[in-house]
């Protein structure tokens, strides 16, 4: 003989209601957990307040800056940058850094990659890059602009570093943030171009945006 269990519609509804209540409790419990976790991360972030890294241009050498044809530029530039992490409790990972030189708003070298590296608390690193350009198209006014700089007695280059960084606090590492660095190199320039490289050894602070 088999036993058949018959439940009333009221009993089934009550059972379904209990399951619904349990689901709501689990949802609110997980929501409270993640809210607490995010709040804790935010509080730590606000306490530490990571400061963006500082860059300064230490040296710039121009070995070549000449036209090889109508509006086609050949360039060779060597630069040295100093990077500093001013934070006492936050490390910085530098990823995908690219360096290039610009003159009067025109890019005059191709992008040159820098190797990724980690920078500890209040550490400093010297970064060097060799920038080159072969047959890069420039505006027809390029020669005219260089002539004006010769008359003024100085040449101004803009050195740029673009890439991404990550903050490190203890074992926690943030997502990637874009970083843009802009440095100005000012070099003395006479009425005739020198046979040796144009050199700027005057250290200048760079602007950094994160």
């Amino acid at each position: 003989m088999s036993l058949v269990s018959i439940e009333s519609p009221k009993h089934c509804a009550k059972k379904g209601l209990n399951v619904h209540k349990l689901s709501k409790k689990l949802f609110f419990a997980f929501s409270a957990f993640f809210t607490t976790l995010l709040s804790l991360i935010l509080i730590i972030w606000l306490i530490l307040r990571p400061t963006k890294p500082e860059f300064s241009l230490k040296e710039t050498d121009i070995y070549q800056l000449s036209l090889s044809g109508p509006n086609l530029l050949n360039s060779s530039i060597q630069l040295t940058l100093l990077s500093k992490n001013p934070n006492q409790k936050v490390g910085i990972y530098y990823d995908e850094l690219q360096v290039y030189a610009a003159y009067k708003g025109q890019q005059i070298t191709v992008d040159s990659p820098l190797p990724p590296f980690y920078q500890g608390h209040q550490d400093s690193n010297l970064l060097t890059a060799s920038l080159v350009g072969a047959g890069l198209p420039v505006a027809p006014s390029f020669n005219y602009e260089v002539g004006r700089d010769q008359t003024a007695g100085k040449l101004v280059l803009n050195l740029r570093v673009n890439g991404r960084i990550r903050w490190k606090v203890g074992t926690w590492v943030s997502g990637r943030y874009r970083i843009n660095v802009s440095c100005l190199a000012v070099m003395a320039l006479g009425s005739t171009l020198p046979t040796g490289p144009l050199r700027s050894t005057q250290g200048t602070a760079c602007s950094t945006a994160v």
Side-chain angles (χ1 to χ4, degrees):
M1 178 182 294
S2 60
L3 295 177
V4 178
S5 176
I6 301 175
E7 296 181 350
S8 66
K10 183 183 291 186
H11 181 76
C12 293
K14 186 176 181 181
K15 189 175 182 179
L17 186 61
N18 289 336
V19 172
H20 180 67
K21 285 183 177 179
L22 180 61
S23 299
K24 287 183 67 176
K25 287 181 179 179
L26 288 174
F27 172 76
F28 285 121
F30 279 115
S31 298
F33 171 75
F34 283 114
T35 301
T36 303
L37 182 62
L38 290 174
S39 299
L40 182 61
I41 292 174
L42 179 60
I43 290 171
I44 293 174
W45 184 265
L46 290 175
I47 292 174
L48 295 175
R49 285 188 180 275
T51 302
K52 60 188 178 182
E54 300 169 355
F55 286 82
S56 58
L57 186 62
K58 306 305 291 183
E59 187 174 341
T60 309
D61 295 311
I62 300 179
Y63 292 94
Q64 185 180 16
L65 197 64
S66 60
L67 294 174
S68 60
N71 307 325
L72 296 177
L73 179 70
N74 292 330
S75 58
S76 176
I77 301 169
Q78 180 85 22
L79 66 88
T80 301
L81 286 167
L82 178 66
S83 169
K84 181 181 178 181
N85 175 11
N87 297 285
Q88 294 184 358
K89 298 180 180 179
V90 181
I92 304 174
Y93 285 103
Y94 293 86
D95 303 322
E96 305 170 11
L97 295 181
Q98 300 282 339
V99 189
Y100 70 90
Y103 174 74
K104 304 293 185 182
Q106 304 175 73
Q107 186 167 339
I108 59 172
T109 68
V110 297
D111 292 346
S112 178
L114 290 175
F117 65 97
Y118 173 74
Q119 195 169 56
H121 313 154
Q122 296 187 312
D123 279 353
S124 297
N125 297 82
L126 278 176
L127 311 175
T128 59
S130 296
L131 312 179
V132 295
L136 292 180
V138 292
S141 61
F142 182 85
N143 256 347
Y144 170 74
E145 296 291 350
V146 173
R148 289 185 60 184
D149 283 345
Q150 285 181 313
T151 302
K154 64 180 180 180
L155 181 74
V156 181
L157 286 187
N158 187 208
L159 290 313
R160 293 183 173 271
V161 183
N162 298 322
R164 297 182 183 277
I165 62 172
R166 292 173 291 155
W167 308 104
K168 182 178 184 295
V169 181
T171 58
W172 177 78
V173 179
S174 74
R176 285 183 169 87
Y177 291 84
R178 183 170 293 279
I179 182 172
N180 300 291
V181 182
S182 179
C183 312
L184 291 180
V186 182
M187 301 169 214
L189 182 63
S191 57
T192 58
L193 293 177
T195 55
L198 282 175
R199 176 165 295 174
S200 172
T201 57
Q202 180 181 0
T204 58
C206 307
S207 62
T208 306
V210 177

